[in-house]
Amino acid sequence: MKGLRYQLKNIRRDKMCILTFLLPVIAGIAINLLTGLSLSSVSENTFGIVENNLDAETAQWLESIGNVTMYESKSDLEAAVIDPSTQMIGVLQNDNGIYTVRAGDELKMYAEMGDILPELYQERDKVRLYDRTIIPADNNEEFLKSLLIVITMVTAMFMGCTFNTMSIISEKEEGIVFVNEVLPMTHTQYIIQKIALGFLGAVMSTGITAVICIKTDGIQVLFLTLIIFLSSFIASLAGLFIGSLSGGLMTGIMYIKIVMIAFIAPPVLIFLAVPQGSILYNLSYILPSSAAFYGLMELLGGQQQRLMVNLIILLIHCILWFFLYAAVSVKPPEKIKRGRI
């Protein structure tokens, strides 16, 4: 217990560990503030017009299919269209109808809209002859918010990896690793202390983030707790592997970034782009973070059909990773060194 207390005290001096602990919490607070933010305007058409250039009927028609912004002169309109931060389409009128002004770097959807807009204007009277039913698009704001929350929580779970890696590297650089060899502490006790160090850090960071971002009750709290505990245990073991393999601080940081990207990016991309149940989707469970990510998304979406499957996969990963580390980290028996009695 004293050894664990000393390691926690040593970790408090590491700025990288402190930042890794606080960043998910800060991100969780920021995501929680997105509740009243509407993201639907991102996909709306935006048109720019020049004052007194369009007649009232044309301006009204544009307003019916998108947002319209008015500018005092054509040069102001062109400057707004060229601005890379906008997807605005400039609309001007002449004797033959309307024509558009584009920057040329728009997304494909807006570029196609700008190209066919004059034709749509010419055919606007024919469209009125047909009955139209407008089907509102699904609201994806909750999905986007859930996705951001889960990515933040998976990052917080990775906190244990950073804790253990930086702790082991610090011991190597300060020579504490040689002191540990003569302390009355078995190798098993050392492993338990290191796992507990990363586990507690990951659980605390993820738990605080979950309290800020997720509102659950009943059985969902149990499922959420199990996902956090199992994922934090795996992250702690990953930190032991990285710390053992790292020869210095910069090498350790590089390994942490590589493993972090490998753990977080594939589940997100596969979840968004690959159908559930496909071969690639099932193969993604090779990464323990996939089960954690999919489980959290199902928990927030209220779809708990595969939640138990994800928990079982996480448990299997915990067992396999633990025995793997125990096998590769077993110290050989002490031998009498040559030249010494």
Side-chain angles (χ1 to χ4, degrees):
M1 193 67 182
K2 291 183 179 179
L4 180 60
R5 190 182 303 117
Y6 169 77
Q7 292 181 64
L8 287 172
K9 183 178 180 181
N10 190 38
I11 283 295
R12 287 185 303 180
R13 297 181 300 176
D14 195 310
K15 295 180 180 180
M16 182 174 179
C17 290
I18 295 175
L19 287 175
T20 308
F21 182 89
L22 293 177
L23 280 177
V25 178
I26 297 173
I29 296 174
I31 293 171
N32 203 40
L33 296 176
L34 294 177
T35 305
L37 180 63
S38 175
L39 302 177
S40 59
S41 60
V42 176
S43 60
E44 291 182 353
N45 297 315
T46 303
F47 303 109
I49 64 175
V50 177
E51 187 177 4
N52 299 324
N53 177 256
L54 300 184
D55 56 47
E57 180 186 359
T58 305
Q60 186 177 5
W61 176 77
L62 278 179
E63 291 175 352
S64 67
I65 60 175
N67 295 324
V68 177
T69 303
M70 184 177 297
Y71 295 91
E72 294 182 356
S73 64
K74 184 178 179 180
S75 60
D76 293 339
L77 172 62
E78 292 175 345
V81 171
I82 296 174
D83 188 348
S85 64
T86 69
Q87 296 291 323
M88 179 176 293
I89 300 172
V91 181
L92 297 170
Q93 191 170 24
N94 55 22
D95 296 336
N96 298 323
I98 64 171
Y99 64 97
T100 57
V101 179
R102 295 200 295 110
D105 59 352
E106 298 91 353
L107 296 174
K108 184 177 180 180
M109 177 179 66
Y110 300 106
E112 292 182 352
M113 169 59 72
D115 292 338
I116 67 172
L117 192 64
E119 184 178 351
L120 290 176
Y121 178 75
Q122 294 293 338
E123 302 291 336
R124 68 189 186 283
D125 293 330
K126 295 181 180 180
V127 174
R128 295 170 183 169
L129 300 177
Y130 300 93
D131 294 331
R132 292 175 296 170
T133 301
I134 299 176
I135 301 176
D138 295 334
N139 189 353
N140 292 324
E141 294 176 21
E142 289 301 321
F143 172 78
L144 292 175
K145 185 178 178 181
S146 298
L147 182 63
L148 291 174
I149 290 173
V150 173
I151 293 175
T152 303
M153 289 191 62
V154 173
T155 304
M157 293 171 186
F158 199 79
M159 170 72 187
C161 177
T162 305
F163 259 36
N164 280 349
T165 301
M166 301 308 295
S167 173
I168 294 175
I169 292 175
S170 176
E171 290 179 353
K172 288 181 179 180
E173 294 185 341
E174 296 176 6
I176 301 176
V177 63
F178 300 109
V179 178
N180 291 335
E181 293 180 357
V182 299
L183 288 177
M185 178 175 59
T186 65
H187 190 53
T188 301
Q189 291 175 332
Y190 175 81
I191 293 177
I192 292 175
Q193 281 190 10
K194 288 299 182 184
I195 292 177
L197 174 69
F199 178 79
L200 290 174
V203 168
M204 290 174 61
S205 181
T206 311
I208 295 173
T209 305
V211 169
I212 295 172
C213 297
I214 301 178
K215 303 297 185 291
T216 58
D217 53 9
I219 193 66
Q220 290 184 335
V221 176
L222 175 61
F223 285 140
L224 179 61
T225 303
L226 289 174
I227 292 175
I228 292 175
F229 277 21
L230 294 175
S231 301
S232 300
F233 182 80
I234 295 172
S236 180
L237 286 173
L240 294 182
F241 278 106
I242 297 176
S244 301
L245 295 174
S246 302
L249 179 60
M250 296 307 298
T251 305
I253 294 176
M254 180 185 69
Y255 285 160
I256 288 174
K257 298 303 181 184
I258 293 174
V259 173
M260 186 174 183
I261 293 173
F263 268 42
I264 297 177
V268 177
L269 296 176
I270 291 174
F271 180 81
L272 295 174
V274 178
Q276 185 175 350
S278 63
I279 296 177
L280 183 58
Y281 189 94
N282 292 330
L283 285 176
S284 67
Y285 279 111
I286 296 175
L287 293 173
S289 55
S290 296
F293 183 87
Y294 301 154
L296 288 173
M297 287 301 298
E298 290 179 358
L299 188 65
L300 293 182
Q303 302 173 355
Q304 303 179 10
Q305 294 87 349
R306 292 178 56 87
L307 194 52
M308 286 302 302
V309 174
N310 290 314
L311 285 173
I312 293 172
I313 293 175
L314 274 175
L315 180 60
I316 293 173
H317 272 291
C318 288
I319 297 172
L320 291 178
W321 281 59
F322 177 77
F323 281 108
L324 177 62
Y325 182 78
V328 301
S329 65
V330 172
K331 290 185 177 180
E334 292 287 339
K335 294 183 179 180
I336 299 177
K337 297 182 179 179
R338 183 175 299 177
R340 295 185 181 181
I341 298 178

